Amino acid sequence: MDYSNTQTICPFCGCGCALNLEVVDGEIVGVLPANDHPVGRGSLCIKGWNAHSFVQHEDRLKTPLIREDGDLREASWEEALELVADKLGSIKSEHGPDAVGVLASAKCTNEENYLLQKFSRAVIGTNNVDHCARL
Amino acid sequence: MIQEIRDLVSEKLKKLDGVVALRKTDQGTAPTLFQEGDDVSQLVLEPRYPVAKTVSKLQKRFKDAKFGVVARGCDTRALVEMVKRHQIDPDRLYIVGMACSEEQAETCYCAEPAPDLDPWPEADLVGDPVPGAPPNPMVAEYENLSREERWDFWNQQFTKCIKCYGCRDICPVCFCDACSLEDPLWVEPGLLVPDFPMYHLIKAMHMTTRCVACRQCETACPAGIPLTVLYDLIRKDVGNLIGYIPGADADSGPPLSLTLADAPIDSELAK
Ligand code: SF4
Ligand code: SF4
């Protein structure tokens, strides 16, 4: 028998409101706002209030999936990342680096987004870097 | 006061399955179920959370367990309303009532800052009760407005609503699985700003005879809408009309679930 709250940052937009995940016996059952957190100060939007619902959802992907002959099959991270690197490499050599675009996320840290633009510009060689808020 | 409450909780944990109270860690403060052996020095009293809701959830999940809860005046009022609606079993609940400070009472415009422990089979009070604070001045200001001005006032306020459902989700006495606010018959899905005044009047009507003036909906509202001005006015009317004060005593049943045949309706006011 166990009930506690784990404070975390809302996974949705870039505001960074804190929220509490209500956990009963290891199961996430709800959200409470973080009343003493300086960003949201006890408020959340509808997405934050429902942030618990996807974490343990049965439809959630738990491994990468690779499409083969029209069907998806489970794959390891290593295999999936290698496939992506291969494909990016072949697109770049066939069509040039500007055939690739990179979409960054509001939910990443500054450092992660910095790395991502570095990767696009220095590794792939394109300025096609944009942000998820404009999708 | 805090040490007295921590000591009392440690003592009671020897017999109870757990006590719902706020725990402060380096992650922040939120409700938790303290159990025997837990570090009660992490137990704190602020900021407020709707603990009645937590107790109800836990009692429903752990049907044989007996819990305790550290509760303020607004929490015990909410607990009373939840008992009346069969969402909480009073015989499986021990209450550590804490008397709020004068300052806290003023912040909340609270008329009853001390928990009423009479309805509870097992309860202790910690702290010195202070008298009720003056009501929210916005209520009197509102009462001076004309009908048209009142309409404009709420129209302006409710236009700010981002339909987060936070006022419902945080409310310690809102518990239905199926909520009218999510029923397309009453509230058009995907419409933002929500329909004026339906969305808010449905919430207000469902709070009639239930709202215990904890004001947590207002704290949770990202749009800063003074929701409790409306709920205070309704509570006042219900009090004047049929003498019902939500959370005040455990014996009078929720009026909307009873026949009003014998209710002492003031016919002058009802006009
Ligand atoms: S003040 Fe708001 S949150 Fe508290 S009981 Fe009333 S409606 Fe619910
Ligand atoms: S908390 Fe405020 S913004 Fe959210 S639904 Fe209620 S009134 Fe609207």
Side-chain angles (χ1 to χ4, degrees):
Chain A
M1 187 185 299
D2 185 46
Y3 167 85
S4 63
N5 276 276
T6 299
Q7 197 171 105
T8 183
I9 305 294
C10 177
F12 291 112
C13 84
C15 282
C17 298
L19 52 82
N20 286 300
L21 290 173
E22 292 189 280
V23 182
V24 181
D25 286 348
E27 185 190 341
I28 300 176
V29 296
V31 163
L32 283 173
N35 288 351
D36 57 353
H37 194 271
V39 177
R41 285 174 294 170
S43 295
L44 292 171
C45 77
I46 192 162
K47 290 187 281 181
W49 270 109
N50 292 284
H52 61 294
S53 52
F54 74 89
V55 184
Q56 290 165 327
H57 197 282
E58 56 180 46
D59 289 347
R60 192 168 174 193
L61 298 184
K62 297 194 181 73
T63 63
L65 300 176
I66 291 177
R67 192 179 297 281
E68 256 172 16
D69 305 327
D71 290 323
L72 290 169
R73 68 162 173 86
E74 291 190 354
S76 66
W77 278 104
E78 206 177 345
E79 189 189 359
L81 288 173
E82 250 166 44
L83 181 69
V84 171
D86 271 2
K87 296 261 180 189
L88 282 176
S90 59
I91 291 169
K92 183 179 161 180
S93 55
E94 268 175 55
H95 305 285
D98 280 339
V100 178
V102 173
L103 294 167
S105 167
K107 279 314 300 170
C108 293
T109 60
N110 281 339
E111 291 75 9
E112 286 162 336
N113 277 325
Y114 175 81
L115 277 177
L116 199 67
Q117 66 80 32
K118 202 75 179 166
F119 170 76
S120 351
R121 294 192 167 104
V123 180
I124 297 182
T126 179
N127 287 328
N128 292 339
V129 193
D130 211 330
H131 180 267
C132 74
R134 297 212 303 186
L135 283 181
Chain B
M1 176 154 80
I2 178 80
Q3 199 47 49
E4 208 179 321
I5 291 180
R6 285 173 183 160
D7 292 345
L8 197 54
V9 167
S10 303
E11 187 55 38
K12 295 286 175 178
L13 280 176
K14 291 177 189 153
K15 287 198 191 118
L16 296 167
D17 293 299
V19 172
V20 174
L22 305 182
R23 184 173 65 181
K24 186 182 169 95
T25 64
D26 51 9
Q27 284 196 352
T29 309
T32 206
L33 183 69
F34 282 91
Q35 284 169 294
E36 205 181 356
D38 285 351
D39 178 6
V40 290
S41 73
Q42 292 182 329
L43 189 155
V44 294
L45 306 174
E46 283 171 342
R48 296 186 305 136
Y49 276 94
V51 289
K53 211 165 191 163
T54 310
V55 169
S56 170
K57 265 189 205 173
L58 292 178
Q59 278 198 343
K60 285 179 192 172
R61 179 133 176 168
F62 303 106
K63 295 200 184 323
D64 300 319
K66 183 163 178 186
F67 297 122
V69 61
V70 177
R72 297 166 179 271
C74 50
D75 297 323
T76 52
R77 295 197 296 276
L79 289 163
V80 161
E81 285 304 309
M82 292 289 266
V83 168
K84 287 180 195 172
R85 290 167 173 81
H86 308 289
Q87 301 303 309
I88 280 177
D89 174 2
D91 296 325
R92 290 195 288 130
L93 191 62
Y94 159 75
I95 294 185
V96 185
M98 64 171 273
C100 284
S101 66
E102 218 164 320
E103 199 190 344
Q104 179 74 56
E106 278 166 19
T107 313
C108 299
Y109 305 117
C110 183
E112 296 284 339
D116 174 14
L117 300 180
D118 286 347
W120 302 96
E122 249 184 277
D124 291 297
L125 179 69
V126 179
D128 300 318
V130 298
N136 184 351
M138 275 181 87
V139 174
E141 283 165 29
Y142 177 90
E143 284 178 311
N144 285 328
L145 299 180
S146 68
R147 232 184 155 85
E148 289 72 29
E149 287 169 328
R150 292 180 182 195
W151 182 264
D152 289 346
F153 173 80
W154 287 120
N155 205 347
Q156 276 174 18
Q157 290 297 342
F158 291 150
T159 305
K160 299 187 288 182
C161 176
I162 62 163
K163 210 183 183 187
C164 67
Y165 290 85
C167 47
R168 173 200 67 179
D169 292 346
I170 201 78
C171 177
V173 292
C174 262
F175 55 82
C176 309
D177 287 335
C179 175
S180 309
L181 294 178
E182 289 179 32
D183 184 339
L185 179 65
W186 302 109
V187 176
E188 192 179 329
L191 197 67
L192 199 67
V193 173
D195 251 349
F196 173 75
M198 273 309 264
Y199 181 90
H200 293 280
L201 288 195
I202 291 171
K203 169 77 167 47
M205 288 319 289
H206 288 200
M207 285 300 109
T208 304
T209 74
R210 221 199 270 200
C211 169
V212 294
C214 72
R215 308 193 191 281
Q216 297 200 59
C217 48
E218 235 169 64
T219 318
C221 178
I225 300 173
L227 295 160
T228 63
V229 170
L230 185 57
Y231 307 156
D232 283 356
L233 288 157
I234 296 177
R235 189 173 333 93
K236 201 166 145 184
D237 278 353
V238 170
N240 289 339
L241 270 170
I242 54 173
Y244 185 81
I245 302 163
D249 67 280
D251 301 325
S252 45
L256 293 181
S257 320
L258 302 171
T259 163
L260 291 179
D262 302 321
I265 290 186
D266 183 326
S267 51
E268 276 307 301
L269 271 169
K271 274 178 194 160

